[in-house]
Amino acid sequence: MLHCFILKGSFQDSVTLMVLSRDLSALPGVAKASVMMGTPANKDVFRETGLWHDTLDEATPSDVCVIVDCEDAARAAGVLEELKTRLADVAKSRRASGYPVARSWRRARQLVPDANVALVSVAGHYAADVARQALDDGCHVMMFSDNVPVEAEVELKLAARRRGLIVMGPDCGTSVIGGVPLAFANRMPKGPIAVIGASGTGIQEICSQIAARGAGITHAIGLGGRDLSAAVGGISALTAIDFVAADAASRVVVFVSKPPAPEVKARVLAALKLMQRPVVALFLGDRQAARRDGNVHFAQTLDGAAALAVDLANVDSQASHQPSAAGLGICGLYTGGTLAAEAAQLLADALGLHADETHAEGYMLRSGGHRVIDLGDDLYTRGRPHPMIDPTLRNEMIRALADEPTYGVLLLDVVLGYGANADPAGVTARAVAEMRAARGGAPITVIATLTGTDQDPQDRASQAAKLEEAGIVIAESTRTAVELALRLVQPPVAGIGAPPPLLAAPPAIVNIGLRGFADELQAGGTNVVHYLWEPIAGGNQRLQRLVAALQ
């Protein structure tokens, strides 16, 4: 038997009422209890779930509606008293929250005048009006609310873009701005990677994977699940890309979404290719024909995107300590044929060249002012030991680079293990030192990969120390070695200006809706004010129109 109670003028957020519904349903003698605000959408839920009671017709959106399914009227009344006690406890705890609470937008701004982000989590029916008010007052908006009409989303996002603002959402579950986690987000270490995404859990997983690899992020900007649809056109995605492009601290960018509309994907990719920094793009479920397109690297999985972003960030850090080789060539002198082939193919893919398929004279690549040679080719081992045993020939070729100033980067492999030279790093370091001394002032960056383990006779750690002492950069893999080489010969174009205000400092927040978000922001040290929002005129649409006309 259904019993219905209405608490007039007692507006509560949905999460609080969901928790109360769960707890009241667990009371003895109660089959089910449901507590919701009396909005039209919630009344539909009561009807659809078989909990409708005609008394609900009297409720307004500002009233708490209580349905108790139990046989005993006295038990139902007891549930109501329990509810009132719990609501009183909630009110008491809120008064002790430690952050300011306002009953109007104007008062909220007075209490925190530097607020620049509105975190909106009111019911979707009202969210657009709340967001519009925030935009009109110069605030960015993160809309956690869902069930917002797509027409309203487009209108709000276009209005934001005209004002130099952004609307993250609707249905945006995750953002991290200036180290401040908003809604469903994680506390992240700081680092050089920015994440932009139309996928809340995708952002969280990539950020977590980045942290697990010892790196961190500048910002994570959520877009909302519909942003890359044909109807919305990626409006906020393009704004977020513009913001991050102007942020010098964001050295590497990850973009993640479910498959976007084809025309939107083309628009987003064009913007990403103009960012003047490495980008990892992951369109989940959408397989790319190529591994990369200019500065955009394509990933297929969330952890793959995170791993690639961390690698690129490490490459960026290494590049910052090396002399510029802009416009110069890359020379690869490899003792291992497979390593030479991998380096040649990666360079060819990145530079739009063709690897040498004939391998004549051991050349794996000979194009565009770059060359990669496999010194283990038969041509070089005729009548002499393999270069992994005796690197004399390679050392001669290293020294010869003293007379070739058109090369600015030298790629090498150093292979350890049984059968290999007893000290490959040592002999390579001496050859590099002699080449540099003879080269005069023409700088050259030498990058080496190290194949082997600490259990090998040469001892990987001591070999690495010799290379580093000689000023040779050690790359984790052939791929990262090639990325570093490319970064040096094709450095990003300078000219990044000041970051947009949203990304320049941790934001101050006006929280509107779920009180728990304000609690968490305050606990994390964020400047926050909670706007105790309720529907205007108790949700009466005729009165709302009258109020709007009077304003």
Side-chain angles (χ1 to χ4, degrees):
M1 183 178 183
L2 298 182
H3 304 269
C4 180
F5 307 97
I6 296 176
L7 302 180
K8 301 296 289 184
S10 180
F11 192 84
Q12 305 291 332
D13 69 58
S14 59
V15 170
T16 296
L17 297 183
M18 287 178 194
V19 171
L20 289 173
S21 296
R22 180 201 62 195
D23 293 349
L24 296 176
S25 294
L27 293 175
V30 177
K32 186 174 181 60
S34 180
V35 187
M36 292 191 285
M37 299 307 300
T39 63
N42 287 342
K43 289 181 179 180
D44 288 342
V45 173
F46 279 124
R47 291 189 183 92
E48 292 163 4
T49 55
L51 295 176
W52 176 255
H53 192 289
D54 288 344
T55 305
L56 293 172
D57 275 331
E58 304 169 10
T60 73
S62 294
D63 301 334
V64 172
C65 301
V66 187
I67 295 291
V68 182
D69 185 3
C70 68
E71 296 303 321
D72 185 353
R75 184 74 194 102
V79 172
L80 177 62
E81 291 307 311
E82 175 66 19
L83 173 63
K84 289 178 178 177
T85 299
R86 294 285 299 273
L87 289 176
D89 291 342
V90 169
K92 192 182 300 179
S93 67
R94 288 172 177 171
R95 283 194 291 273
S97 58
Y99 51 81
V101 176
R103 289 191 172 276
S104 71
W105 173 263
R106 180 181 300 178
R107 181 59 180 156
R109 293 304 307 276
Q110 289 172 343
L111 290 171
V112 181
D114 59 340
N116 59 344
V117 173
L119 176 53
V120 179
S121 55
V122 303
H125 182 71
Y126 307 103
D129 287 342
V130 175
R132 193 175 294 110
Q133 184 178 33
L135 291 173
D136 288 344
D137 206 20
C139 285
H140 305 275
V141 173
M142 177 169 169
M143 296 181 75
F144 182 80
S145 309
D146 56 9
N147 290 303
V148 176
V150 68
E151 297 81 6
E153 178 177 350
V154 172
E155 174 226 324
L156 290 168
K157 288 186 169 180
L158 288 174
R161 192 163 172 81
R162 286 193 296 271
R163 292 174 169 91
L165 303 171
I166 187 170
V167 173
M168 297 170 274
D171 198 15
C172 178
T174 302
S175 284
V176 182
I177 306 297
V180 175
L182 299 174
F184 296 153
N186 306 93
R187 181 70 65 180
M188 287 293 299
K190 292 182 179 178
I193 302 170
V195 181
I196 303 172
S199 169
T201 50
I203 291 176
Q204 284 191 275
E205 178 63 14
I206 286 175
C207 289
S208 298
Q209 293 277 350
I210 288 171
R213 288 169 168 80
I217 68 167
T218 51
H219 314 279
I221 303 178
L223 307 172
R226 281 192 313 223
D227 190 72
L228 274 70
S229 66
V232 182
I235 300 169
S236 288
L238 297 174
T239 301
I241 290 170
D242 288 346
F243 282 5
V244 171
D247 179 35
S250 297
R251 305 293 300 171
V252 176
V253 180
V254 179
F255 190 97
V256 58
S257 79
K258 303 175 188 69
E263 65 272 27
V264 179
K265 177 183 174 183
R267 207 175 300 150
V268 168
L269 276 177
L272 293 174
K273 290 172 68 175
L274 295 174
M275 291 195 80
Q276 302 296 338
R277 70 200 71 186
V279 175
V280 178
L282 171 58
F283 302 110
L284 283 160
D286 185 10
R287 290 196 172 277
Q288 296 292 134
R291 286 192 299 263
R292 67 184 294 172
D293 182 359
N295 63 316
V296 180
H297 304 250
F298 296 104
Q300 296 297 329
T301 62
L302 296 169
D303 69 320
L308 187 51
V310 172
D311 282 350
L312 292 170
N314 290 335
V315 164
D316 180 77
S317 176
Q318 288 179 310
S320 67
H321 300 292
Q322 302 302 320
S324 173
L328 298 178
I330 299 169
C331 175
L333 300 176
Y334 283 87
T335 60
T338 302
L339 298 175
E342 183 181 30
Q345 191 59 57
L346 290 169
L347 283 171
D349 289 348
L351 297 169
L353 305 174
H354 292 287
D356 192 327
E357 297 181 354
T358 65
H359 300 173
E361 300 176 340
Y363 277 84
M364 311 298 278
L365 176 71
R366 181 162 43 180
S367 180
H370 311 287
R371 72 185 185 204
V372 175
I373 306 175
D374 169 20
L375 296 174
D377 185 88
D378 290 348
L379 175 67
Y380 304 105
T381 58
R382 192 174 301 145
R384 69 176 79 206
H386 191 281
M388 287 198 297
I389 302 171
D390 178 4
T392 299
L393 176 59
R394 183 168 78 169
N395 291 342
E396 291 173 357
M397 297 177 79
I398 291 173
R399 294 187 191 96
L401 284 172
D403 299 323
E404 296 186 272
T406 57
Y407 288 101
V409 179
L410 171 60
L411 295 174
L412 300 172
D413 59 344
V414 176
V415 182
L416 314 182
Y418 295 108
N421 185 275
D423 185 17
V427 296
T428 301
R430 285 192 290 276
V432 168
E434 291 167 7
M435 178 267 291
R436 282 178 167 152
R439 195 174 163 93
I444 185 168
T445 296
V446 182
I447 306 168
T449 54
L450 195 51
T451 301
T453 73
D454 290 341
Q455 285 72 49
D456 285 325
Q458 300 89 346
D459 180 25
R460 181 187 173 99
S462 61
Q463 291 287 295
K466 289 182 180 180
L467 294 174
E468 289 176 336
E469 189 177 346
I472 297 173
V473 181
I474 300 176
E476 292 295 323
S477 65
T478 304
R479 179 173 57 79
T480 56
V482 168
E483 287 297 335
L484 176 55
L486 290 167
R487 187 61 185 266
L488 293 173
V489 301
Q490 294 180 332
V493 177
I496 295 174
L502 176 65
L503 307 186
I509 309 294
V510 179
N511 183 62
I512 312 162
L514 300 179
R515 188 68 175 258
F517 289 159
D519 296 341
E520 291 165 350
L521 287 166
Q522 197 266 344
T526 300
N527 194 10
V528 59
V529 56
H530 181 69
Y531 171 16
L532 200 58
W533 178 90
E534 294 184 24
I536 297 173
N540 185 303
Q541 295 186 347
R542 188 179 66 82
L543 289 177
Q544 287 177 352
R545 287 194 293 271
L546 180 59
V547 171
L550 290 173
Q551 291 176 340

mmCIF file of all heavy atoms in Angstrom, residues 309-342:
data_model
loop_
_atom_site.group_PDB
_atom_site.id
_atom_site.type_symbol
_atom_site.label_atom_id
_atom_site.label_comp_id
_atom_site.label_asym_id
_atom_site.label_seq_id
_atom_site.Cartn_x
_atom_site.Cartn_y
_atom_site.Cartn_z
ATOM 1 N N ALA A 309 51.709 9.167 -24.411
ATOM 2 C CA ALA A 309 51.808 10.556 -23.940
ATOM 3 C C ALA A 309 52.987 10.724 -22.981
ATOM 4 O O ALA A 309 53.720 11.725 -23.056
ATOM 5 C CB ALA A 309 50.503 10.954 -23.251
ATOM 6 N N VAL A 310 53.177 9.759 -22.088
ATOM 7 C CA VAL A 310 54.298 9.853 -21.141
ATOM 8 C C VAL A 310 55.627 9.769 -21.891
ATOM 9 O O VAL A 310 56.564 10.521 -21.604
ATOM 10 C CB VAL A 310 54.185 8.745 -20.076
ATOM 11 C CG1 VAL A 310 55.435 8.699 -19.207
ATOM 12 C CG2 VAL A 310 52.950 8.981 -19.206
ATOM 13 N N ASP A 311 55.704 8.871 -22.869
ATOM 14 C CA ASP A 311 56.932 8.779 -23.674
ATOM 15 C C ASP A 311 57.225 10.112 -24.357
ATOM 16 O O ASP A 311 58.363 10.596 -24.377
ATOM 17 C CB ASP A 311 56.784 7.685 -24.746
ATOM 18 C CG ASP A 311 56.966 6.281 -24.171
ATOM 19 O OD1 ASP A 311 57.390 6.173 -23.009
ATOM 20 O OD2 ASP A 311 56.658 5.315 -24.886
ATOM 21 N N LEU A 312 56.186 10.714 -24.939
ATOM 22 C CA LEU A 312 56.384 11.977 -25.658
ATOM 23 C C LEU A 312 56.758 13.103 -24.700
ATOM 24 O O LEU A 312 57.532 13.999 -25.053
ATOM 25 C CB LEU A 312 55.115 12.329 -26.435
ATOM 26 C CG LEU A 312 54.806 11.387 -27.614
ATOM 27 C CD1 LEU A 312 53.410 11.657 -28.162
ATOM 28 C CD2 LEU A 312 55.856 11.547 -28.723
ATOM 29 N N ALA A 313 56.214 13.050 -23.504
ATOM 30 C CA ALA A 313 56.587 14.067 -22.505
ATOM 31 C C ALA A 313 58.050 13.908 -22.101
ATOM 32 O O ALA A 313 58.773 14.894 -21.926
ATOM 33 C CB ALA A 313 55.673 13.950 -21.283
ATOM 34 N N ASN A 314 58.494 12.656 -21.954
ATOM 35 C CA ASN A 314 59.905 12.424 -21.624
ATOM 36 C C ASN A 314 60.814 12.891 -22.761
ATOM 37 O O ASN A 314 61.885 13.465 -22.530
ATOM 38 C CB ASN A 314 60.129 10.938 -21.343
ATOM 39 C CG ASN A 314 59.477 10.497 -20.040
ATOM 40 O OD1 ASN A 314 59.256 11.312 -19.138
ATOM 41 N ND2 ASN A 314 59.165 9.218 -19.932
ATOM 42 N N VAL A 315 60.382 12.634 -23.981
ATOM 43 C CA VAL A 315 61.149 13.100 -25.139
ATOM 44 C C VAL A 315 61.232 14.631 -25.134
ATOM 45 O O VAL A 315 62.299 15.222 -25.379
ATOM 46 C CB VAL A 315 60.485 12.606 -26.445
ATOM 47 C CG1 VAL A 315 61.021 13.379 -27.651
ATOM 48 C CG2 VAL A 315 60.726 11.112 -26.618
ATOM 49 N N ASP A 316 60.118 15.262 -24.841
ATOM 50 C CA ASP A 316 60.107 16.730 -24.799
ATOM 51 C C ASP A 316 61.090 17.248 -23.754
ATOM 52 O O ASP A 316 61.812 18.219 -23.986
ATOM 53 C CB ASP A 316 58.695 17.212 -24.478
ATOM 54 C CG ASP A 316 58.609 18.720 -24.425
ATOM 55 O OD1 ASP A 316 58.589 19.344 -25.501
ATOM 56 O OD2 ASP A 316 58.585 19.283 -23.307
ATOM 57 N N SER A 317 61.127 16.574 -22.608
ATOM 58 C CA SER A 317 62.051 16.992 -21.555
ATOM 59 C C SER A 317 63.503 16.808 -22.004
ATOM 60 O O SER A 317 64.346 17.686 -21.790
ATOM 61 C CB SER A 317 61.780 16.176 -20.287
ATOM 62 O OG SER A 317 62.709 16.490 -19.283
ATOM 63 N N GLN A 318 63.787 15.670 -22.635
ATOM 64 C CA GLN A 318 65.157 15.433 -23.116
ATOM 65 C C GLN A 318 65.542 16.472 -24.174
ATOM 66 O O GLN A 318 66.664 16.973 -24.181
ATOM 67 C CB GLN A 318 65.272 14.032 -23.704
ATOM 68 C CG GLN A 318 65.242 12.913 -22.662
ATOM 69 C CD GLN A 318 65.348 11.536 -23.318
ATOM 70 O OE1 GLN A 318 64.630 11.227 -24.258
ATOM 71 N NE2 GLN A 318 66.227 10.700 -22.799
ATOM 72 N N ALA A 319 64.604 16.791 -25.058
ATOM 73 C CA ALA A 319 64.900 17.736 -26.141
ATOM 74 C C ALA A 319 65.247 19.118 -25.596
ATOM 75 O O ALA A 319 66.054 19.847 -26.193
ATOM 76 C CB ALA A 319 63.703 17.824 -27.093
ATOM 77 N N SER A 320 64.654 19.454 -24.465
ATOM 78 C CA SER A 320 64.895 20.793 -23.917
ATOM 79 C C SER A 320 66.334 20.971 -23.450
ATOM 80 O O SER A 320 66.781 22.102 -23.241
ATOM 81 C CB SER A 320 63.935 21.045 -22.744
ATOM 82 O OG SER A 320 64.236 20.183 -21.649
ATOM 83 N N HIS A 321 67.077 19.871 -23.281
ATOM 84 C CA HIS A 321 68.471 19.958 -22.825
ATOM 85 C C HIS A 321 69.470 19.790 -23.970
ATOM 86 O O HIS A 321 70.681 19.710 -23.713
ATOM 87 C CB HIS A 321 68.734 18.880 -21.766
ATOM 88 C CG HIS A 321 67.864 19.001 -20.552
ATOM 89 N ND1 HIS A 321 67.969 20.042 -19.666
ATOM 90 C CD2 HIS A 321 66.854 18.228 -20.105
ATOM 91 C CE1 HIS A 321 67.072 19.893 -18.692
ATOM 92 N NE2 HIS A 321 66.381 18.800 -18.950
ATOM 93 N N GLN A 322 68.986 19.698 -25.207
ATOM 94 C CA GLN A 322 69.862 19.473 -26.346
ATOM 95 C C GLN A 322 69.865 20.685 -27.271
ATOM 96 O O GLN A 322 68.898 21.446 -27.312
ATOM 97 C CB GLN A 322 69.406 18.230 -27.139
ATOM 98 C CG GLN A 322 69.377 16.964 -26.314
ATOM 99 C CD GLN A 322 70.730 16.637 -25.691
ATOM 100 O OE1 GLN A 322 71.771 16.804 -26.336
ATOM 101 N NE2 GLN A 322 70.718 16.182 -24.441
ATOM 102 N N PRO A 323 70.961 20.865 -28.014
ATOM 103 C CA PRO A 323 71.008 22.004 -28.955
ATOM 104 C C PRO A 323 70.032 21.802 -30.102
ATOM 105 O O PRO A 323 69.731 20.669 -30.481
ATOM 106 C CB PRO A 323 72.460 21.976 -29.447
ATOM 107 C CG PRO A 323 72.889 20.559 -29.278
ATOM 108 C CD PRO A 323 72.198 20.069 -28.035
ATOM 109 N N SER A 324 69.545 22.893 -30.634
ATOM 110 C CA SER A 324 68.625 22.805 -31.769
ATOM 111 C C SER A 324 69.334 22.227 -32.982
ATOM 112 O O SER A 324 70.503 22.532 -33.247
ATOM 113 C CB SER A 324 68.064 24.185 -32.101
ATOM 114 O OG SER A 324 67.308 24.121 -33.308
ATOM 115 N N ALA A 325 68.637 21.373 -33.706
ATOM 116 C CA ALA A 325 69.163 20.845 -34.959
ATOM 117 C C ALA A 325 68.167 21.152 -36.076
ATOM 118 O O ALA A 325 68.032 20.375 -37.028
ATOM 119 C CB ALA A 325 69.405 19.345 -34.847
ATOM 120 N N ALA A 326 67.495 22.270 -35.944
ATOM 121 C CA ALA A 326 66.436 22.628 -36.893
ATOM 122 C C ALA A 326 66.954 22.623 -38.318
ATOM 123 O O ALA A 326 67.963 23.272 -38.628
ATOM 124 C CB ALA A 326 65.864 23.993 -36.534
ATOM 125 N N GLY A 327 66.277 21.875 -39.160
ATOM 126 C CA GLY A 327 66.607 21.847 -40.579
ATOM 127 C C GLY A 327 67.748 20.925 -40.939
ATOM 128 O O GLY A 327 68.060 20.772 -42.124
ATOM 129 N N LEU A 328 68.409 20.330 -39.956
ATOM 130 C CA LEU A 328 69.539 19.436 -40.235
ATOM 131 C C LEU A 328 69.056 17.994 -40.413
ATOM 132 O O LEU A 328 67.901 17.672 -40.174
ATOM 133 C CB LEU A 328 70.565 19.527 -39.101
ATOM 134 C CG LEU A 328 71.201 20.909 -38.893
ATOM 135 C CD1 LEU A 328 72.159 20.884 -37.720
ATOM 136 C CD2 LEU A 328 71.923 21.368 -40.165
ATOM 137 N N GLY A 329 69.986 17.134 -40.824
ATOM 138 C CA GLY A 329 69.624 15.758 -41.116
ATOM 139 C C GLY A 329 69.859 14.827 -39.935
ATOM 140 O O GLY A 329 70.545 15.166 -38.966
ATOM 141 N N ILE A 330 69.271 13.635 -40.039
ATOM 142 C CA ILE A 330 69.428 12.579 -39.035
ATOM 143 C C ILE A 330 70.237 11.450 -39.675
ATOM 144 O O ILE A 330 69.900 10.980 -40.771
ATOM 145 C CB ILE A 330 68.062 12.047 -38.582
ATOM 146 C CG1 ILE A 330 67.234 13.179 -37.947
ATOM 147 C CG2 ILE A 330 68.235 10.886 -37.601
ATOM 148 C CD1 ILE A 330 65.787 12.808 -37.722
ATOM 149 N N CYS A 331 71.297 11.029 -38.973
ATOM 150 C CA CYS A 331 72.123 9.922 -39.451
ATOM 151 C C CYS A 331 72.013 8.769 -38.466
ATOM 152 O O CYS A 331 72.241 8.949 -37.274
ATOM 153 C CB CYS A 331 73.586 10.374 -39.591
ATOM 154 S SG CYS A 331 74.708 9.029 -40.035
ATOM 155 N N GLY A 332 71.625 7.607 -38.959
ATOM 156 C CA GLY A 332 71.540 6.423 -38.105
ATOM 157 C C GLY A 332 72.591 5.415 -38.504
ATOM 158 O O GLY A 332 72.635 4.992 -39.668
ATOM 159 N N LEU A 333 73.455 5.028 -37.576
ATOM 160 C CA LEU A 333 74.501 4.024 -37.834
ATOM 161 C C LEU A 333 74.265 2.868 -36.864
ATOM 162 O O LEU A 333 74.606 2.948 -35.683
ATOM 163 C CB LEU A 333 75.889 4.643 -37.622
ATOM 164 C CG LEU A 333 76.241 5.844 -38.525
ATOM 165 C CD1 LEU A 333 77.604 6.410 -38.148
ATOM 166 C CD2 LEU A 333 76.222 5.443 -39.996
ATOM 167 N N TYR A 334 73.683 1.799 -37.386
ATOM 168 C CA TYR A 334 73.240 0.697 -36.530
ATOM 169 C C TYR A 334 74.066 -0.557 -36.766
ATOM 170 O O TYR A 334 74.403 -0.901 -37.897
ATOM 171 C CB TYR A 334 71.760 0.395 -36.787
ATOM 172 C CG TYR A 334 70.833 1.394 -36.133
ATOM 173 C CD1 TYR A 334 70.480 2.573 -36.778
ATOM 174 C CD2 TYR A 334 70.348 1.162 -34.855
ATOM 175 C CE1 TYR A 334 69.644 3.499 -36.174
ATOM 176 C CE2 TYR A 334 69.524 2.090 -34.236
ATOM 177 C CZ TYR A 334 69.162 3.247 -34.895
ATOM 178 O OH TYR A 334 68.352 4.152 -34.274
ATOM 179 N N THR A 335 74.345 -1.244 -35.668
ATOM 180 C CA THR A 335 74.995 -2.561 -35.787
ATOM 181 C C THR A 335 73.948 -3.673 -35.907
ATOM 182 O O THR A 335 74.257 -4.761 -36.357
ATOM 183 C CB THR A 335 75.882 -2.842 -34.559
ATOM 184 O OG1 THR A 335 75.058 -2.833 -33.380
ATOM 185 C CG2 THR A 335 76.961 -1.781 -34.425
ATOM 186 N N GLY A 336 72.719 -3.398 -35.476
ATOM 187 C CA GLY A 336 71.644 -4.380 -35.567
ATOM 188 C C GLY A 336 70.685 -4.056 -36.712
ATOM 189 O O GLY A 336 70.153 -2.936 -36.783
ATOM 190 N N GLY A 337 70.484 -5.025 -37.593
ATOM 191 C CA GLY A 337 69.662 -4.776 -38.776
ATOM 192 C C GLY A 337 68.216 -4.474 -38.456
ATOM 193 O O GLY A 337 67.589 -3.599 -39.068
ATOM 194 N N THR A 338 67.643 -5.178 -37.488
ATOM 195 C CA THR A 338 66.230 -4.945 -37.144
ATOM 196 C C THR A 338 66.038 -3.561 -36.531
ATOM 197 O O THR A 338 65.049 -2.875 -36.816
ATOM 198 C CB THR A 338 65.748 -6.022 -36.161
ATOM 199 O OG1 THR A 338 65.937 -7.309 -36.772
ATOM 200 C CG2 THR A 338 64.285 -5.836 -35.833
ATOM 201 N N LEU A 339 66.981 -3.168 -35.693
ATOM 202 C CA LEU A 339 66.894 -1.834 -35.096
ATOM 203 C C LEU A 339 67.008 -0.762 -36.175
ATOM 204 O O LEU A 339 66.308 0.260 -36.131
ATOM 205 C CB LEU A 339 67.992 -1.656 -34.046
ATOM 206 C CG LEU A 339 67.924 -2.624 -32.850
ATOM 207 C CD1 LEU A 339 69.138 -2.436 -31.945
ATOM 208 C CD2 LEU A 339 66.638 -2.420 -32.077
ATOM 209 N N ALA A 340 67.888 -0.997 -37.147
ATOM 210 C CA ALA A 340 68.026 -0.049 -38.261
ATOM 211 C C ALA A 340 66.731 0.021 -39.068
ATOM 212 O O ALA A 340 66.278 1.107 -39.444
ATOM 213 C CB ALA A 340 69.187 -0.473 -39.159
ATOM 214 N N ALA A 341 66.129 -1.137 -39.314
ATOM 215 C CA ALA A 341 64.879 -1.159 -40.097
ATOM 216 C C ALA A 341 63.758 -0.427 -39.364
ATOM 217 O O ALA A 341 62.976 0.315 -39.977
ATOM 218 C CB ALA A 341 64.478 -2.611 -40.366
ATOM 219 N N GLU A 342 63.692 -0.637 -38.045
ATOM 220 C CA GLU A 342 62.644 0.036 -37.271
ATOM 221 C C GLU A 342 62.851 1.545 -37.290
ATOM 222 O O GLU A 342 61.900 2.315 -37.505
ATOM 223 C CB GLU A 342 62.642 -0.469 -35.826
ATOM 224 C CG GLU A 342 61.517 0.147 -34.996
ATOM 225 C CD GLU A 342 61.522 -0.322 -33.546
ATOM 226 O OE1 GLU A 342 62.615 -0.620 -33.030
ATOM 227 O OE2 GLU A 342 60.438 -0.358 -32.945
#
